[in-house]
Amino acid sequence: MHEKTKGVKRALLPGRFQPPHWGHFRLIKWVLERFDEVIIVIGSAQKSHSFSNPFTAGERIEMLRLGLKDVGIDLSRVFMIPVTDIETNFVWPRWVEMFVPRFDCVVSGNPLVARLFFEYGYCVITPPMFDRERYSATVVRRLMLKGDAEWRSLVPPSVAEYIESIGGVERLRRVTEV
Amino acid sequence: MHEKTKGVKRALLPGRFQPPHWGHFRLIKWVLERFDEVIIVIGSAQKSHSFSNPFTAGERIEMLRLGLKDVGIDLSRVFMIPVTDIETNFVWPRWVEMFVPRFDCVVSGNPLVARLFFEYGYCVITPPMFDRERYSATVVRRLMLKGDAEWRSLVPPSVAEYIESIGGVERLRRVTEV
Amino acid sequence: MHEKTKGVKRALLPGRFQPPHWGHFRLIKWVLERFDEVIIVIGSAQKSHSFSNPFTAGERIEMLRLGLKDVGIDLSRVFMIPVTDIETNFVWPRWVEMFVPRFDCVVSGNPLVARLFFEYGYCVITPPMFDRERYSATVVRRLMLKGDAEWRSLVPPSVAEYIESIGGVERLRRVTEV
Amino acid sequence: MHEKTKGVKRALLPGRFQPPHWGHFRLIKWVLERFDEVIIVIGSAQKSHSFSNPFTAGERIEMLRLGLKDVGIDLSRVFMIPVTDIETNFVWPRWVEMFVPRFDCVVSGNPLVARLFFEYGYCVITPPMFDRERYSATVVRRLMLKGDAEWRSLVPPSVAEYIESIGGVERLRRVTEV
Amino acid sequence: MHEKTKGVKRALLPGRFQPPHWGHFRLIKWVLERFDEVIIVIGSAQKSHSFSNPFTAGERIEMLRLGLKDVGIDLSRVFMIPVTDIETNFVWPRWVEMFVPRFDCVVSGNPLVARLFFEYGYCVITPPMFDRERYSATVVRRLMLKGDAEWRSLVPPSVAEYIESIGGVERLRRVTEV
Amino acid sequence: MHEKTKGVKRALLPGRFQPPHWGHFRLIKWVLERFDEVIIVIGSAQKSHSFSNPFTAGERIEMLRLGLKDVGIDLSRVFMIPVTDIETNFVWPRWVEMFVPRFDCVVSGNPLVARLFFEYGYCVITPPMFDRERYSATVVRRLMLKGDAEWRSLVPPSVAEYIESIGGVERLRRVTEV
């Protein structure tokens, strides 16, 4: 008898999702048009409460899930797996591999991530950018800091609500004061 | 407007799942009769290739998923989150909390886990034992080592197939030779 | 019979004290006018021999003690506890809590520290600044580097003597050469 | 002018103090008859909630302080410094040295501790044993587990009260259930 | 032009060498009859001063070198590389790979080491045992503890001298006292 | 009888060797004119795949060896030992000491390295600079990034070949893209 997951095609999608925005959700859709399942790796999972990483891994999972529902993606095709950083680039792809189900390709626009998985032997796909000037987590966080409500339009409505329900904008401001 | 997850009741279910067996799946069902969603914490996520922890976190996620499908549990009600060990008991509940979505109660029959979350301020539920003499991961691994095919009856069929497809019994034997 | 420490009010005062200066000692006095005891947390305790952190935790304890004696503070009302960094903001308040006696409030002018303890559930007090332009550890270290003896006026006399007795200025210069 | 601490003789006294008992307090007195000041290193500071290490470092500091007051020791002659473990014996004495003020000798009846500081170049003193069969932290914990109130006679009264006020015996029982 | 090391056949030889004995040196010779070069990995490199690991990595390198000279092995065909432990079996082969030059096969009689490198994709060779009852580091250390000078016959003369010159037997006794 | 290494004079030479260039090899020769043996410490051994540290420790060992052969240095007088970083300056010299054979002096032009070993008690020698404007690993890497083949003249021919054989220039470019 055969392993039940053999025929399933899976992509690995690493990111930090601080926070997840429309660009991420379009990318996930794009991946699911090409693969049966997607494994979202929530990187820098031990980080939070800083400008680059305001939200905990748990909060990011919550937001991803809310956004996936908004967008109508079948949750049973998605894995969401937090992975802590190790400061050892050579070892990192194997560290990630340990925490996730078997996968076929890595989807990443990050040159370092792409190079590390390529040298480790994986197929790496560079995805299209979805209006990257606009849909960027850095832009979202900068708008939040400036008090510009425009950031709400860059993320799905449930994500915006969630961020407000946990006082996320206030937190971002506090932790970035000098 | 309210946070969308506010009304949802969630239980945290920590374990090692080396491997997941019928006792685990009955427990998950029992939890889902009492809570809307369950967050399965796959503990000691950095461990594998030993007698106590033969399988990687990724393999355990794969097996849990296969078993959940066998049993007919709705995957959209389940989170599966690997968490690495820290050797600092007092800090551990907060470490776990960082990686998972908000939850209401902890379900655990492990006295140390129960105590740590209780002192940290969480509601802790001791679940019933489902034929624990028989359905125990330690028993499964011991049968594997003895070459007794009986272990297959203690796990869902997909889990047994998966273990064989990755050479799990062979691995267990090798890594426990002296 | 009751726990003997129950009625005692304690404040937690985290800092790096690189080195401790008049601003720190005034602050400690201010705290001891409002609390029975103060727990000084010597943060980044594993760091030394850099521009930002020239002195070891042990040297900082030595200097704090000398300064407290200069200022006439009752040592039996003061705890001094070195705490190493962890790069996980969410977990940090609990990490600190593990190493120190029970306390009632946190006194901190550092926005990140204040936010982390606030989210963890503690009362947080923002203390007044005591001539902060002048009394600042960064200013002390810059004067040292420039060879400007003025730095001695910013710290209690015993602290200045101590720094010279261990060759602290020379060390600071050496470790900051490129 | 000379460093103010130059003439002061200090001993380093490493231990785990799980919990501190009469043997520890007699030892501290014995040390203070021979040295001006004692630096108590609270080892394995990151451990708690196990049979060997039931109490956090903060709780151990609290107990040591209560016991020192019971015994009438001048707190201004005592440093209490928690130090986390590193699993690297060769480096350990230097790790400890970093967190503590300058000291002259190490007082330890533990052969490994004595050897490590001896090879590192310190004077090491083996103290007398104060009725060690009776005054032993392991004995205290075993009596607690058995429900034998006799353990109270092995520690100063304030320490016994403190342990009860935090539910220490209950904790010890819970974390050692299988 | 081609990489100069392309044609060179190298074996990886992991061990702890606590201390290196005749069995190890025969094995190294056996390897060098089959490969051009050998990479000796000195495992558990951060450990020392315990019964299982009495010597530091540096001391083990010193002893290996002395023994290799005694035996007449060409040092230019040997790499000696200390590697610290990581408690993550799945990642360990890649961790080792990072610290060493390219190699072709792993030579190991340790079933766990063999299995980990096999699953990682390397050729693994099980070497013959050279009178293993007699030539075993555990036996050497037990004889040392018993004060039986017979241990000297189990290691090359230079290794025995070296151990005595650093007080190795005395150290072993001290660190294993209770 | 005496320890065989007693009369041997050894120097410790710490560096990162990213990559090793003519300046390094001249320095090694200069050291070997003054000492019997040199212990090359390959620092930041866990780092690779970044602009500052493109090569793994294993690749750096490979390059050092090739260069040493080009230059005609007797490999039996050279130790090459990778050492991972610890972020604790005070402890670092002892950490290094643990992994290497006994040595007499440290040779370093890095002020921090020199200071740390000096405070730890070692003799420290500042070596002459060999045309440092030109022979610098940073310069080599910048030329590589610019696509200027001039970098090949700054390293021994075997090192240049090796870098090309592993696609080192391509890697450097990829991992430094934003």
Side-chain angles (χ1 to χ4, degrees):
Chain A
M1 221 189 276
H2 304 287
E3 184 197 326
K4 293 213 167 159
T5 71
K6 274 281 171 51
V8 179
K9 286 278 174 204
R10 287 195 195 121
L12 188 87
L13 186 64
R16 288 190 298 107
F17 308 100
Q18 290 283 15
H21 51 67
W22 283 118
H24 291 127
F25 292 102
R26 285 194 195 166
L27 175 55
I28 294 167
K29 277 188 127 167
W30 184 89
V31 171
L32 285 175
E33 286 158 12
R34 282 152 186 84
F35 290 84
D36 299 307
E37 296 177 355
V38 63
I39 302 166
I40 300 175
V41 167
I42 295 153
S44 297
Q46 86 288 4
K47 288 193 182 159
S48 69
H49 293 79
S50 68
F51 176 70
S52 297
N53 291 287
F55 303 108
T56 68
E59 290 165 347
R60 291 178 264 164
I61 289 172
E62 201 98 76
M63 289 186 275
L64 279 163
R65 180 136 157 156
L66 289 167
L68 291 170
K69 282 183 176 169
D70 276 8
V71 175
I73 288 170
D74 177 2
L75 287 179
S76 75
R77 294 177 63 196
V78 180
F79 294 85
M80 290 185 289
I81 298 184
V83 175
T84 55
D85 292 329
I86 53 169
E87 303 297 327
T88 308
N89 283 333
F90 181 77
V91 165
W92 185 74
R94 191 155 176 93
W95 175 249
V96 172
E97 201 185 27
M98 179 172 59
F99 294 111
V100 302
R102 180 194 56 69
F103 58 95
D104 301 282
C105 283
V106 177
V107 176
S108 178
N110 179 310
L112 176 59
V113 167
R115 180 75 190 183
L116 294 176
F117 273 105
F118 165 76
E119 287 198 21
Y120 186 48
Y122 271 99
C123 133
V124 177
I125 295 168
T126 307
M129 284 301 161
F130 298 99
D131 199 354
R132 210 198 172 177
E133 295 308 298
R134 186 167 153 74
Y135 295 123
S136 138
T138 307
V139 168
V140 172
R141 297 195 308 269
R142 280 202 197 122
L143 292 170
M144 283 174 169
L145 271 190
K146 281 201 298 189
D148 183 337
E150 177 69 12
W151 70 266
R152 294 182 56 107
S153 71
L154 305 181
V155 303
S158 305
V159 171
E161 279 168 48
Y162 179 82
I163 287 173
E164 288 184 348
S165 77
I166 62 165
V169 177
E170 171 76 2
R171 182 198 291 170
L172 186 64
R173 267 186 217 137
R174 292 285 180 196
V175 302
T176 54
E177 283 175 43
V178 186
Chain B
M1 220 189 275
H2 305 287
E3 183 199 324
K4 292 210 169 163
T5 72
K6 274 282 171 52
V8 180
K9 286 278 174 203
R10 287 195 193 122
L12 188 88
L13 187 63
R16 288 190 298 107
F17 308 99
Q18 290 284 14
H21 51 68
W22 283 119
H24 291 126
F25 293 102
R26 285 193 196 167
L27 175 55
I28 294 168
K29 278 187 127 168
W30 184 89
V31 171
L32 285 175
E33 286 158 13
R34 283 150 186 84
F35 291 84
D36 299 306
E37 296 177 356
V38 63
I39 302 165
I40 299 175
V41 167
I42 294 153
S44 297
Q46 86 288 4
K47 289 193 181 158
S48 70
H49 293 79
S50 68
F51 175 71
S52 297
N53 292 288
F55 303 108
T56 69
E59 290 165 348
R60 290 179 263 164
I61 289 172
E62 201 99 76
M63 289 186 275
L64 278 163
R65 180 139 157 154
L66 289 166
L68 291 170
K69 282 183 177 168
D70 275 9
V71 174
I73 288 171
D74 177 2
L75 287 179
S76 74
R77 294 177 63 197
V78 179
F79 295 84
M80 289 184 290
I81 298 184
V83 176
T84 55
D85 292 330
I86 53 169
E87 302 298 327
T88 307
N89 283 333
F90 181 77
V91 165
W92 185 73
R94 191 156 177 93
W95 175 250
V96 172
E97 200 185 29
M98 179 172 58
F99 294 111
V100 301
R102 180 193 57 68
F103 57 95
D104 300 284
C105 284
V106 177
V107 175
S108 178
N110 178 311
L112 176 59
V113 167
R115 180 75 190 183
L116 294 176
F117 274 104
F118 165 76
E119 287 198 21
Y120 185 48
Y122 270 100
C123 134
V124 177
I125 295 169
T126 308
M129 285 300 160
F130 298 100
D131 199 354
R132 210 197 171 180
E133 295 308 298
R134 187 167 152 73
Y135 295 123
S136 138
T138 307
V139 169
V140 172
R141 298 195 308 269
R142 280 201 197 122
L143 291 170
M144 284 174 168
L145 272 191
K146 282 201 298 190
D148 183 336
E150 176 70 10
W151 70 265
R152 294 181 56 107
S153 70
L154 304 181
V155 304
S158 306
V159 172
E161 279 168 48
Y162 178 82
I163 287 172
E164 287 183 351
S165 76
I166 62 167
V169 177
E170 171 75 2
R171 182 198 292 169
L172 186 64
R173 265 186 220 138
R174 292 285 180 196
V175 301
T176 54
E177 282 175 45
V178 186
Chain C
M1 222 191 274
H2 304 286
E3 184 198 324
K4 293 211 169 160
T5 71
K6 273 283 171 52
V8 180
K9 286 278 174 204
R10 288 196 195 122
L12 189 87
L13 186 64
R16 289 189 296 108
F17 307 99
Q18 290 284 12
H21 51 67
W22 283 118
H24 290 125
F25 292 102
R26 284 192 196 168
L27 174 55
I28 294 168
K29 277 187 128 168
W30 185 90
V31 171
L32 285 175
E33 286 159 12
R34 284 152 186 81
F35 291 83
D36 299 307
E37 296 177 356
V38 63
I39 301 165
I40 299 175
V41 167
I42 295 153
S44 296
Q46 86 288 6
K47 288 194 181 158
S48 70
H49 294 79
S50 68
F51 175 70
S52 297
N53 292 288
F55 304 107
T56 68
E59 290 165 348
R60 291 179 264 163
I61 289 172
E62 201 99 76
M63 289 187 276
L64 279 163
R65 178 137 157 157
L66 289 167
L68 291 171
K69 282 183 177 169
D70 276 7
V71 175
I73 288 170
D74 177 2
L75 287 179
S76 74
R77 295 176 64 196
V78 180
F79 295 84
M80 290 187 288
I81 299 184
V83 175
T84 55
D85 291 330
I86 54 171
E87 302 298 326
T88 308
N89 282 333
F90 181 77
V91 165
W92 185 74
R94 191 157 178 92
W95 175 249
V96 172
E97 200 184 28
M98 179 171 58
F99 294 111
V100 300
R102 181 195 55 69
F103 58 96
D104 300 282
C105 283
V106 177
V107 175
S108 178
N110 178 310
L112 176 58
V113 167
R115 181 75 189 182
L116 294 175
F117 274 104
F118 165 76
E119 288 199 21
Y120 185 48
Y122 271 99
C123 135
V124 177
I125 296 169
T126 308
M129 284 303 160
F130 299 98
D131 198 355
R132 211 197 172 179
E133 294 309 298
R134 186 166 153 73
Y135 295 123
S136 139
T138 307
V139 169
V140 173
R141 298 194 309 268
R142 281 203 196 119
L143 291 170
M144 283 174 169
L145 271 190
K146 281 200 299 188
D148 183 336
E150 176 69 12
W151 69 266
R152 294 182 55 107
S153 70
L154 305 181
V155 303
S158 306
V159 172
E161 279 168 49
Y162 178 82
I163 287 173
E164 288 183 349
S165 76
I166 63 166
V169 177
E170 171 75 1
R171 182 198 291 170
L172 186 64
R173 266 186 218 135
R174 293 285 180 196
V175 301
T176 55
E177 284 175 44
V178 186
Chain D
M1 221 189 275
H2 303 288
E3 185 198 323
K4 292 211 170 160
T5 72
K6 275 281 171 54
V8 180
K9 286 278 173 203
R10 287 194 194 123
L12 189 87
L13 185 64
R16 288 190 299 106
F17 307 99
Q18 290 284 15
H21 51 67
W22 283 119
H24 291 125
F25 292 103
R26 284 194 197 166
L27 174 56
I28 294 168
K29 277 187 126 166
W30 184 89
V31 171
L32 285 175
E33 286 158 11
R34 283 151 187 83
F35 291 83
D36 298 308
E37 297 177 355
V38 63
I39 302 165
I40 300 175
V41 167
I42 295 153
S44 296
Q46 87 287 4
K47 288 194 182 157
S48 69
H49 294 78
S50 68
F51 174 71
S52 297
N53 292 287
F55 303 108
T56 68
E59 290 165 349
R60 290 179 264 164
I61 289 172
E62 201 99 76
M63 289 186 276
L64 278 162
R65 177 136 158 159
L66 289 167
L68 291 171
K69 282 182 177 169
D70 276 8
V71 175
I73 288 171
D74 177 3
L75 287 179
S76 74
R77 295 177 63 196
V78 180
F79 295 85
M80 289 185 288
I81 299 184
V83 175
T84 56
D85 292 331
I86 54 170
E87 302 297 327
T88 308
N89 283 333
F90 181 77
V91 165
W92 185 73
R94 189 156 178 92
W95 175 248
V96 173
E97 200 185 29
M98 178 172 60
F99 294 111
V100 301
R102 181 194 56 69
F103 57 96
D104 300 281
C105 283
V106 177
V107 175
S108 179
N110 178 310
L112 176 59
V113 167
R115 180 76 189 182
L116 294 176
F117 273 104
F118 165 76
E119 287 198 20
Y120 185 47
Y122 271 100
C123 133
V124 178
I125 296 169
T126 308
M129 283 301 160
F130 298 99
D131 198 354
R132 211 198 171 179
E133 294 309 297
R134 187 166 152 74
Y135 294 124
S136 138
T138 307
V139 169
V140 172
R141 298 194 309 269
R142 280 200 197 123
L143 291 170
M144 284 174 169
L145 272 190
K146 281 200 300 189
D148 184 336
E150 177 69 12
W151 69 265
R152 294 182 56 108
S153 70
L154 305 181
V155 303
S158 305
V159 172
E161 280 167 48
Y162 178 82
I163 287 173
E164 288 183 348
S165 77
I166 62 166
V169 177
E170 171 75 3
R171 182 198 291 169
L172 185 64
R173 266 186 219 136
R174 292 286 180 196
V175 301
T176 54
E177 284 175 44
V178 186
Chain E
M1 222 190 276
H2 305 287
E3 183 198 326
K4 293 213 168 157
T5 72
K6 273 282 171 52
V8 180
K9 286 277 174 205
R10 289 196 194 120
L12 189 87
L13 186 64
R16 289 191 296 107
F17 308 100
Q18 290 283 15
H21 51 68
W22 283 120
H24 291 126
F25 293 102
R26 285 194 196 167
L27 174 55
I28 294 167
K29 277 188 127 167
W30 184 89
V31 171
L32 284 175
E33 285 158 14
R34 283 151 186 84
F35 291 84
D36 299 307
E37 296 176 355
V38 63
I39 302 166
I40 299 175
V41 167
I42 294 152
S44 297
Q46 86 288 3
K47 288 194 182 158
S48 70
H49 293 79
S50 68
F51 175 71
S52 298
N53 291 289
F55 303 108
T56 68
E59 291 166 347
R60 290 178 264 164
I61 289 173
E62 201 99 74
M63 289 186 276
L64 279 162
R65 179 138 158 155
L66 288 167
L68 291 170
K69 283 184 175 169
D70 276 6
V71 175
I73 288 171
D74 177 2
L75 287 179
S76 75
R77 294 176 64 197
V78 180
F79 294 84
M80 289 185 288
I81 298 183
V83 175
T84 55
D85 292 329
I86 54 170
E87 302 297 329
T88 307
N89 283 333
F90 181 77
V91 166
W92 184 73
R94 190 155 177 93
W95 175 250
V96 173
E97 201 184 28
M98 179 172 58
F99 294 111
V100 302
R102 181 194 56 68
F103 57 95
D104 301 281
C105 283
V106 177
V107 175
S108 178
N110 178 311
L112 175 58
V113 167
R115 180 74 189 183
L116 294 176
F117 273 105
F118 165 77
E119 287 198 21
Y120 186 48
Y122 271 98
C123 133
V124 177
I125 296 168
T126 308
M129 285 301 161
F130 299 99
D131 199 354
R132 211 197 172 180
E133 295 308 299
R134 186 167 154 74
Y135 294 123
S136 139
T138 307
V139 168
V140 173
R141 297 194 308 270
R142 280 202 197 120
L143 291 170
M144 283 175 170
L145 270 191
K146 281 201 299 188
D148 183 337
E150 177 69 12
W151 70 265
R152 293 182 56 108
S153 71
L154 304 181
V155 303
S158 306
V159 171
E161 279 167 50
Y162 178 83
I163 287 173
E164 288 184 348
S165 78
I166 62 166
V169 177
E170 171 76 2
R171 182 198 290 169
L172 186 64
R173 267 186 218 137
R174 293 284 179 196
V175 301
T176 54
E177 284 175 43
V178 186
Chain F
M1 220 188 277
H2 304 287
E3 183 199 325
K4 294 213 168 160
T5 71
K6 274 282 171 53
V8 180
K9 286 279 174 202
R10 288 195 194 122
L12 188 88
L13 186 63
R16 288 190 298 106
F17 308 99
Q18 289 285 12
H21 51 68
W22 283 119
H24 291 126
F25 293 102
R26 285 194 195 167
L27 175 55
I28 294 167
K29 278 188 127 167
W30 184 89
V31 171
L32 284 175
E33 286 157 13
R34 282 149 188 84
F35 290 84
D36 300 306
E37 296 177 354
V38 63
I39 302 165
I40 299 175
V41 167
I42 295 152
S44 297
Q46 86 288 5
K47 288 192 180 159
S48 70
H49 293 79
S50 69
F51 175 70
S52 298
N53 292 288
F55 303 108
T56 68
E59 289 165 348
R60 291 178 263 164
I61 289 172
E62 200 98 76
M63 290 187 276
L64 279 163
R65 178 138 159 155
L66 289 167
L68 291 170
K69 281 183 177 169
D70 276 8
V71 175
I73 288 171
D74 177 2
L75 287 179
S76 75
R77 294 177 64 196
V78 180
F79 295 84
M80 289 185 288
I81 298 185
V83 175
T84 55
D85 292 329
I86 54 169
E87 302 297 327
T88 307
N89 283 333
F90 181 77
V91 165
W92 185 74
R94 190 155 178 92
W95 175 250
V96 172
E97 199 185 30
M98 179 172 59
F99 293 111
V100 301
R102 180 194 57 69
F103 57 95
D104 300 283
C105 283
V106 177
V107 176
S108 178
N110 178 312
L112 176 58
V113 167
R115 180 77 190 181
L116 294 176
F117 273 105
F118 165 76
E119 288 198 20
Y120 185 48
Y122 271 99
C123 132
V124 177
I125 295 169
T126 308
M129 284 301 160
F130 299 98
D131 199 354
R132 211 197 171 178
E133 295 309 298
R134 187 167 153 74
Y135 294 123
S136 138
T138 307
V139 168
V140 173
R141 298 194 308 269
R142 280 201 198 121
L143 291 170
M144 284 174 169
L145 270 191
K146 281 201 299 188
D148 183 337
E150 176 70 11
W151 69 266
R152 294 181 56 106
S153 70
L154 304 181
V155 304
S158 305
V159 172
E161 279 168 48
Y162 179 82
I163 287 172
E164 287 182 350
S165 76
I166 62 167
V169 177
E170 171 76 2
R171 181 198 292 169
L172 187 64
R173 266 186 218 136
R174 292 285 179 197
V175 300
T176 54
E177 283 175 43
V178 186

